[in-house]
């Protein structure tokens, strides 16, 4: 509409005000300043922590590294240096018992290979090039190889499962527990959201009953009560019963984690998949579950880390896991018993490496799927 001749000209429309962001800090110095000295409070906390580290770190390094006893040294060498540095010679002396417990000494090359195989399986699974239909066959081959090496037979000296122990047992309980519990957890999570009353009731019962008792109680049930319900003469290995108990326990917790991811998927995704005419299982496999699992990556990995540490509870049913093997390696030897702290620190290092590797891979997977940027 044209303006009247006597009207004042309209001022130009002002541009919409946009908040100005702070200029990005470039370089290492800028990033360090933004991270540790962004304001007065951060600067005070940073300086206080630096002062604490400057006080504690020199003495700690002297005890851990510079004044410590390294290599294959006798207990007398540690006794001479007692009070000055750590005695890492105990790890050298008891290393094979810590790693393989009561497995026959002459056959301990076999659990050594098993450790390498069990570590390689999740590493290969984390490699994107291995995300193909052949990966399940790699897992089956690796599992069969591990059980053959540990148990023997077919050319190898048979070793009963009662003599298995150490790090291979911890890795087996963790990796096989995750591998078998995850598909069960998927079915339980879907079953709890099912419209079929029987399926939903059974899924809720499994989840709520198992989550309502501690893992130690489940292990005791598998170890003690299971034998009471079996016919006379029927026996199942203790390690297998513990593995089944862990699978049942972890599946219940993972089911709730996955159900949380399913609830976080927008309702429009379900409606869009149904509008395309996808049947239920294809809708879940192609549309819903990929989004739900991507959302649930952090709590899923947290469950995996918790399982890796909770395998130490199998000691209550007389299974030699890695933590118990480290403890017994120094407890049963009077010459090395006083160096329990060094053995404990070694076991802590092994557990930390495993947990840290899982957490770093989870962060990488979040960045790859775009969840960290959402």
């Amino acid at each position: 509409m044209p303006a009247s001749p006597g009207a004042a000209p309209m001022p130009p429309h002002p541009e919409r005000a946009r908040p100005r962001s702070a200029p990005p800090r470039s370089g290492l110095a800028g990033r360090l300043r933004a991270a540790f000295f962004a304001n007065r409070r951060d600067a005070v906390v940073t300086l206080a922590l630096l002062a604490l580290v400057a006080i504690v770190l020199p003495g700690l390094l002297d005890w851990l590294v510079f004044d410590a006893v390294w290599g294959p040294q006798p207990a007398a060498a540690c006794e001479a240096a007692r009070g000055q540095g750590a005695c890492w010679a105990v790890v050298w002396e008891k290393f094979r018992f810590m790693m393989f417990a009561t497995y026959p000494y002459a056959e301990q090359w076999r659990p050594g290979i098993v450790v390498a195989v069990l570590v390689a399986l999740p590493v290969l699974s984390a490699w994107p090039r291995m995300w193909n239909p052949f990966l399940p066959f790699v897992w089956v081959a690796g599992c069969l190889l591990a059980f053959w090496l540990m148990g023997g037979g077919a050319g190898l000296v048979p070793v009963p499962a009662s003599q298995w122990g150490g790090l291979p047992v911890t890795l087996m309980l963790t990796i096989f527990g995750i591998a078998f519990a995850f598909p069960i957890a998927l079915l339980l999570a879907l079953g709890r959201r099912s419209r079929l009353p029987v399926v939903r009731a059974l899924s809720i019962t499994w989840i709520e009953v198992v989550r309502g008792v501690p893992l130690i109680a489940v292990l005791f049930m598998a170890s003690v009560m299971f034998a009471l319900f079996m016919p006379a003469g029927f026996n199942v290995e203790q390690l297998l019963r513990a593995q089944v108990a862990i699978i049942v326990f972890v599946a219940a917790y993972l089911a709730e984690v996955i159900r949380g991811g399913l609830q976080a998927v927008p309702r429009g995704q379900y409606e869009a998949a149904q509008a395309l005419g996808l049947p239920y299982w294809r809708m879940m496999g192609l549309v819903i579950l990929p989004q739900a699992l991507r959302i649930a990556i952090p709590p899923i990995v947290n469950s995996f880390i918790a399982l890796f540490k909770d395998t130490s509870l199998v000691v209550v049913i007389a299974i030699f896991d890695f933590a118990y093997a480290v403890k017994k390696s120094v407890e049963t030897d009077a010459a090395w018993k006083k160096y329990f702290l060094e053995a404990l620190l070694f076991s802590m290092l092994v557990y930390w490496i495993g947990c840290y590797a899982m957490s770093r891979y989870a962060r990488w997977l979040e960045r790859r799927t775009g969840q960290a940027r959402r």
Side-chain angles (χ1 to χ4, degrees):
M1 183 177 182
S4 58
M10 294 291 293
H13 188 275
E15 295 184 358
R16 181 175 299 175
R18 296 179 180 177
R20 294 184 178 181
S21 58
R25 301 180 184 272
S26 59
L28 179 60
R31 291 196 297 270
L32 290 177
R33 182 178 178 184
F36 300 103
F37 299 94
N39 51 53
R40 183 177 301 177
R41 182 190 60 184
D42 290 354
V44 170
V45 173
T46 300
L47 293 175
L49 291 177
L50 288 176
L52 180 62
V53 170
I55 295 172
V56 175
L57 188 60
L60 188 62
L61 287 178
D62 288 339
W63 188 83
L64 288 173
V65 181
F66 301 118
D67 296 334
V69 178
W70 296 90
Q73 300 286 341
C78 293
E79 187 65 30
R82 186 164 177 80
Q84 299 178 3
C87 179
W88 299 119
V90 66
V91 178
W92 184 281
E93 178 70 20
K94 301 295 183 180
F95 181 77
R96 295 183 71 163
F97 190 90
M98 291 177 180
M99 299 297 290
F100 311 123
T102 57
Y103 204 88
Y105 190 86
E107 302 292 327
Q108 287 182 356
W109 60 272
R110 289 155 54 179
I113 297 177
V114 169
V115 170
V117 170
L118 294 179
V119 171
L121 285 177
V123 170
L124 289 176
S125 302
W127 190 20
R129 289 191 176 183
M130 293 296 297
W131 296 350
N132 54 56
F134 295 100
L135 185 59
F137 297 99
V138 174
W139 271 85
V140 171
C143 295
L144 293 177
L145 177 62
F147 278 109
W148 173 61
L149 289 172
M150 291 295 293
L156 295 178
V157 178
V159 178
S162 59
Q163 295 184 352
W164 300 6
L167 188 59
V169 168
T170 295
L171 293 178
M172 291 173 68
L173 292 174
T174 303
I175 294 175
F176 296 152
I178 293 171
F180 288 100
F182 193 79
I184 297 175
L186 282 175
L187 296 178
L188 288 174
L190 295 175
R192 184 157 189 171
R193 293 168 56 87
S194 174
R195 296 179 180 178
L196 301 176
V198 176
V199 175
R200 185 170 63 253
L202 291 176
S203 301
I204 293 175
T205 302
W206 179 326
I207 293 171
E208 296 301 330
V209 169
V210 174
R211 290 175 70 237
V213 295
L215 178 57
I216 291 180
V218 180
L219 291 172
F220 268 118
M221 289 287 294
S223 177
V224 180
M225 300 297 294
F226 179 80
L228 300 178
F229 295 101
M230 293 296 103
F234 184 82
N235 185 31
V236 179
E237 287 288 350
Q238 184 88 325
L239 183 61
L240 179 58
R241 282 182 276 172
Q243 184 71 84
V244 173
I246 289 175
I247 291 172
V248 170
F249 186 82
V250 174
Y253 278 86
L254 279 179
E256 287 297 274
V257 171
I258 296 172
R259 187 171 71 92
L262 291 171
Q263 290 180 334
V265 176
R267 184 63 189 172
Q269 297 293 315
Y270 292 86
E271 297 172 352
Q274 293 171 352
L276 292 174
L278 295 178
Y280 177 80
W281 290 109
R282 294 197 66 186
M283 176 183 70
M284 287 296 170
L286 299 177
V287 179
I288 306 302
L289 280 178
Q291 300 181 67
L293 295 179
R294 182 178 60 191
I295 295 171
I297 286 175
I300 288 175
V301 175
N302 187 53
S303 299
F304 292 169
I305 293 174
L307 173 60
F308 180 51
K309 295 182 293 184
D310 288 345
T311 52
S312 59
L313 294 175
V314 297
V315 65
V316 300
I317 55 174
I319 294 179
F320 261 72
D321 70 301
F322 174 67
Y324 189 60
V326 171
K327 179 175 180 288
K328 295 299 289 185
S329 67
V330 293
E331 275 189 351
T332 55
D333 194 333
W336 297 99
K337 188 175 182 179
K338 61 187 70 175
Y339 306 110
F340 177 81
L341 178 60
E342 287 84 344
L344 179 62
L345 290 175
F346 171 70
S347 66
M348 290 171 58
L349 177 64
V350 173
Y351 278 107
W352 178 83
I353 290 174
C355 296
Y356 184 73
M358 284 188 280
S359 64
R360 293 298 300 178
Y361 175 70
R363 293 185 62 182
W364 173 84
L365 191 61
E366 283 183 330
R367 290 193 298 268
R368 181 180 177 88
T369 58
Q371 182 63 23
R373 295 190 299 271
R374 179 167 294 182

